[in-house]
Amino acid sequence: MRILPVLLTVAVLTLAACGGSSTPAPTPTPAAAAPSAQQVVAATLNVVMHDIYFGDDNNNIANPPIWRVPAGAEVTINLENQGGLDHNWAIIKKDVELPIPFMPDQNADLILWEGGVLAAGGKDTEVFTAPDVLGEYIVICTVAGHYPAMQGRLVVE
Ligand SMILES: [Cu+2]
């Protein structure tokens, strides 16, 4: 990387040669400019809720369902409550210690994002922006008594 100092020297000399101008030197533009528009990655999650677990396996503690999303993606989540009870899908802030039981009123500050409580038989589609910080986030149902039985993992990659 010896080219950069040479280029800088040339730029400084060129600027000095102009003299007297108060206009700042224009930023050099690369020949092949990168697209200026921010790229938005989209992802879709389909979540089925039961009494009292997410997904297909009534054993979320030992085998939590895993939902993967790209960091910063615009995520469309389709929630379907096939149970007979209220359920929720809530991402918990990273590396937070979750109390057992989770109390929806007292522990609301631990929630990063939630779809909202969905009544029995209900369906809902929501959109959220995936976290920028990579890693694993615990997802729980916030309805009193449903965590830890009802939980999963959101993996941001
Ligand atoms: Cu629940």
Side-chain angles (χ1 to χ4, degrees):
M1 296 301 285
R2 290 178 185 277
I3 297 168
L4 192 57
V6 174
L7 286 177
L8 284 176
T9 308
V10 171
V12 169
L13 288 176
T14 310
L15 198 61
C18 291
S21 170
S22 61
T23 332
T27 319
T29 318
S36 56
Q38 192 188 344
Q39 265 193 326
V40 177
V41 179
T44 301
L45 298 178
N46 297 307
V47 174
V48 177
M49 300 143 148
H50 298 278
D51 304 331
I52 299 175
Y53 59 98
F54 292 115
D56 302 322
D57 189 358
N58 188 3
N59 192 6
N60 284 179
I61 293 176
N63 187 27
I66 295 170
W67 300 284
R68 297 179 183 277
V69 293
E74 185 183 284
V75 181
T76 300
I77 181 166
N78 299 310
L79 298 156
E80 184 177 350
N81 184 353
Q82 294 184 358
L85 302 167
D86 287 355
H87 294 297
N88 192 0
W89 190 92
I91 308 167
I92 299 301
K93 291 175 182 172
K94 204 167 188 323
D95 303 327
V96 157
E97 194 160 335
L98 267 175
I100 296 177
F102 182 92
M103 302 301 287
D105 293 335
Q106 297 156 35
N107 305 131
D109 59 317
L110 303 181
I111 298 172
L112 186 64
W113 186 85
E114 61 181 317
V117 174
L118 195 57
K123 287 185 182 182
D124 188 24
T125 296
E126 301 281 341
V127 176
F128 68 93
T129 303
D132 288 323
V133 179
L134 302 184
E136 195 174 88
Y137 294 72
I138 295 181
V139 172
I140 70 167
C141 176
T142 60
V143 174
H146 291 200
Y147 173 79
M150 194 165 178
Q151 60 174 292
R153 300 292 180 271
L154 181 75
V155 176
V156 176
E157 48 195 15

